[in-house]
Amino acid sequence: MSHLFPTYKRWEVEPVTASGTVVTDKEGREYLDFTSGIGVCNLGHRPKNVEEAIVDQLGRFWHVSNLFEQGIQEQAAKLLAEAAALDLVFFANSGAEANEAAIKLAKKATGKSKIITFNQSFHGRTFGAMAATGQEKIKQGFGPMLKEFVHLPFNDLKAFENEIEKDTAAVMLEIVQGEGGIHIAGQEFLHSIEKACKKYGALLIIDEIQTGIGRTAKPFAYQHFGIKPDIVTVAKGLGSGLPIGAVIGKSGLGEFFGAGSHGSTFGGNPVSVAAAIATMESVFQEDFLSEVTEKGVYMTQLAEKNLAGLESVNEIRGLGMMVGIEMNIDIQPILKKLRDKNLLVLPAGENVIRLLPPLTVSKEEIVKAIEILKETIKLHSVTAV
């Protein structure tokens, strides 16, 4: 009998060690990990520089609370703010907490309540973040949601222009809808949203929980599109596996998040912050991101070359090291068979296979993963027919 709530549909793999792109289970089987802990281990499992930073901080102190000045927080906030070309940072423990804080900040700063989000989005499972999420399956059984959220079709500019007005506090969106199936926002769509937000005095919130910290080959995914948000939220890849999230915002928002307005007992924990600093110092290097760009293009092109022509594959979408393979058959048996062949990948949206390898993955490992995918999808395509 398990004493855990059955909130997760767990796989039949129990890891005991992990390093780089390889996870080893209790039976000694090695798996090529193209999940990265759901986009968390961007530098692979247990990167040496991050591990050393964690060990060093463990030898200093683990927790003192946010009543104290902490230079390590200032150092991490500076790295985040400069990478995002913004000014102020609040540290939380997760992506959902970061989004909750962003929602509170936007409402307080504008004095308005209405927030526009989009269908297929995912912003978290706490109550406000769940209400912001544009997926009904996430909300089933939890009663009435917060009424201030309006969900619109993604990339539908006409629907957006018909909805935004002077009482809108914010527009909240993902550049790439990760959980929703790797759907990428269009250039015109994003620029029109940015322009409309300025016109109506609404704040533009970009949820970079899954796309941030180099996942799309830039520090943040919105930087591919030449827009400048008011608020950015990050988490997953920020701490290389240690729990940390953050809200990054413009300087003018500082007056609305003064002392007592928001807080977190564990937010900005020094051990997690040490991991975040070491992670950012690696990821935000120009040479590193150039390599991610090259490998991301390579992975997408290789997937298109080997998989796009298969009968059961509808479409392949990707940006940087995020690739979605949309299928026209049930993907769950495929995911199981891939694990049997020692390849770990993720589901997303409706029947989308999601690839989120560590940013440090080698081209040889990409080739191996695509070969396993091709072989397995072909087998299941025949079975489905």
Side-chain angles (χ1 to χ4, degrees), residues 146-161:
L146 299 174
K147 297 178 181 179
E148 293 91 345
F149 291 95
V150 176
H151 305 96
L152 301 177
F154 194 55
N155 275 328
D156 188 331
L157 185 53
K158 184 175 180 181
F160 171 76
E161 290 174 341

Side-chain angles (χ1 to χ4, degrees), residues 82-273:
E82 288 180 349
L86 292 169
D87 306 292
L88 299 173
V89 173
F90 172 85
F91 286 112
N93 303 291
S94 68
E97 284 188 20
N99 282 338
E100 291 280 356
I103 290 165
K104 284 180 63 175
L105 178 56
K107 289 189 173 188
K108 188 172 185 182
T110 63
K112 298 182 284 189
S113 295
K114 176 179 173 179
I115 295 179
I116 296 173
T117 66
F118 296 91
N119 297 341
Q120 305 158 177
S121 63
F122 183 82
H123 298 294
R125 294 181 184 271
T126 50
F127 209 79
M130 178 173 61
T133 293
Q135 298 186 48
E136 286 305 312
K137 66 181 181 181
I138 302 298
K139 309 174 188 182
Q140 290 175 0
F142 295 106
M145 292 290 107
L146 299 174
K147 297 178 181 179
E148 293 91 345
F149 291 95
V150 176
H151 305 96
L152 301 177
F154 194 55
N155 275 328
D156 188 331
L157 185 53
K158 184 175 180 181
F160 171 76
E161 290 174 341
N162 288 338
E163 187 63 48
I164 191 167
E165 34 86 23
K166 62 180 179 61
D167 291 325
T168 303
V171 179
M172 186 175 192
L173 60 87
E174 301 156 280
I175 301 297
V176 183
Q177 294 182 325
E179 300 297 327
I182 314 296
H183 298 283
I184 304 169
Q187 179 90 23
E188 182 184 1
F189 181 66
L190 291 171
H191 279 269
S192 296
I193 287 176
E194 180 184 35
K195 184 177 179 180
C197 284
K198 291 177 181 177
K199 176 180 177 181
Y200 291 104
L203 298 181
L204 177 55
I205 304 172
I206 303 295
D207 178 339
E208 294 266 4
I209 305 304
Q210 191 165 138
T211 52
I213 319 299
R215 174 54 56 181
T216 69
K218 288 188 179 291
F220 304 97
Y222 69 84
Q223 293 168 334
H224 289 279
F225 297 91
I227 60 172
K228 185 165 185 179
D230 300 288
I231 298 172
V232 175
T233 56
V234 293
K236 289 186 181 294
L238 180 56
S240 286
L242 270 68
I244 187 169
V247 179
I248 318 166
K250 290 183 175 179
S251 60
L253 296 171
E255 64 179 291
F256 303 103
F257 250 20
S261 60
H262 195 59
S264 170
T265 296
F266 296 110
N269 171 272
V271 181
S272 293
V273 169

Side-chain angles (χ1 to χ4, degrees), residues 323-339:
V323 172
I325 305 160
E326 183 176 304
M327 309 291 294
N328 54 38
I329 58 175
D330 182 13
I331 66 170
Q332 292 305 320
I334 299 175
L335 299 181
K336 171 65 169 65
K337 191 63 177 178
L338 290 170
R339 294 195 294 273

